[in-house]
Amino acid sequence: MTSNQKNLLVTGGAGFIGSNFINYIHNKYPDYNIQLLDALTYAGNLENIVNGLKSNGHFRFSHGNVTHPDIVNQLVSDSDIVIHFAAESHVTRSIYDNSLFFETDVIGTQVLANAIVNHPVERFIHISSSEVYGTALSVPMTEDHPLNPMSPYAAAKAGADRLGYSYMHTYGLPAVIVRPFNNYGPFQHLEKAIPNFITSALNDQPLTVHGGGKSLRDWMFVEDTCEALDLIMHADASKVVGEAINLGTGLDTDILTIAEKVLSILDKPQGLIEHIEDRPGQVSRHISSTQKANHLLGWIAKTNLDDGLQRTVEFYKNNKQWWEKFLW
């Protein structure tokens, strides 16, 4: 192995952000070895991984659950860096069936952290979520904002987030806790707002908006997240290990406006928007402080919302065979 090679373990890497991250890393660092551990639930799809990587000898897929210590210990022992995406990640599903969220998000993180205690790695990057904050009490939301999760999903992510923090202090785990705000882009499951809006519009179906659609979110194109994770992976340890870092744009846009923008891009009538009952546990505003990520990494999100939406719409327009199987 050459000196510039790294062995990465990516949990949950067949999902949306994880697969985009794997494809990004493969494109930028073709010599890196990538181990993917994924249970391939409804949201995991190996089709998300570029074909060139699957066949080039630098990629290995293990079908399994992050809650299983045997497979996790084996994979961690072969790794230099662990990037932990594996999680159940849908707010509405968590309201009606939440036990799986705590098993995967909390117990899975504990199993992974224990494996790293037994088989030390250079860096453990834990992908948390802006959902741990709940509704913004102050804006923009800094990493010191109180954690007030407002759904079972968010509570499970907050539990995993704080579990990672405790292992840093108890066992010296070389962890970085990353809190991405609302990501969107290629390969996102149709349960999420933006791909749901796009595919509904493409099929001339109603775009369902919860309540008045005035909940504000900090929307970030997934490629920008991948770039930030790359920087976190390669930054000097003294800068990032032990830190929690928000990843967002510092701008917020309400959900109704997103639906209107999608319809405008596709030249579809605004009348396709249909308001439905608001969701329990709804967060009214999320907006990220960008100061810490910029200070530690020199990073700022590059993709503005209109460009990101245009690129995302193009993906769903051109890849109907990928998403039509998810329609229900």
Side-chain angles (χ1 to χ4, degrees), residues 174-195:
V176 188
I177 295 167
V178 183
R179 296 175 183 153
F181 280 66
N182 283 65
N183 271 235
Y184 67 97
F187 299 116
Q188 189 169 31
H189 194 279
L190 305 195
E191 68 188 5
K192 303 294 187 179
I194 288 178

Side-chain angles (χ1 to χ4, degrees), residues 115-274:
I116 294 168
V117 170
N118 294 326
H119 307 283
V121 298
E122 292 174 18
R123 198 154 302 175
F124 171 47
I125 301 172
H126 173 73
I127 310 300
S128 183
S129 166
S130 62
E131 287 286 335
V132 302
Y133 294 126
T135 287
L137 301 176
S138 54
V139 296
M141 302 167 86
T142 71
E143 290 79 359
D144 294 326
H145 187 286
L147 304 191
N148 295 318
M150 293 178 66
S151 67
Y153 157 66
K157 290 299 286 185
D161 181 309
R162 293 298 83 191
L163 186 72
Y165 181 83
S166 74
Y167 270 64
M168 284 194 269
H169 290 274
T170 303
Y171 302 105
L173 219 66
V176 188
I177 295 167
V178 183
R179 296 175 183 153
F181 280 66
N182 283 65
N183 271 235
Y184 67 97
F187 299 116
Q188 189 169 31
H189 194 279
L190 305 195
E191 68 188 5
K192 303 294 187 179
I194 288 178
N196 186 283
F197 289 162
I198 294 169
T199 55
S200 295
L202 286 169
N203 286 334
D204 297 306
Q205 298 292 319
L207 279 64
T208 54
V209 172
H210 289 286
K214 292 302 179 184
S215 294
L216 291 154
R217 296 289 183 272
D218 187 330
W219 305 94
M220 188 161 77
F221 191 60
V222 66
E223 189 177 284
D224 290 335
T225 301
C226 295
E227 182 183 77
L229 293 174
D230 174 16
L231 292 169
I232 290 167
M233 208 165 68
H234 294 96
D236 188 276
S238 64
K239 278 190 171 182
V240 296
V241 167
E243 299 289 347
I245 303 173
N246 286 346
L247 298 181
T249 68
L251 301 169
D252 57 356
T253 305
D254 67 63
I255 291 166
L256 180 59
T257 299
I258 297 292
E260 291 168 348
K261 284 177 177 289
V262 166
L263 290 170
S264 177
I265 291 169
L266 288 168
D267 197 24
K268 299 283 186 174
Q270 298 291 322
L272 282 174
I273 293 172
E274 179 182 293

Side-chain angles (χ1 to χ4, degrees), residues 33 42 180 206 279 281 283 286 293:
N33 296 312
Y42 74 94
R279 187 174 65 189
V283 171
H286 265 184

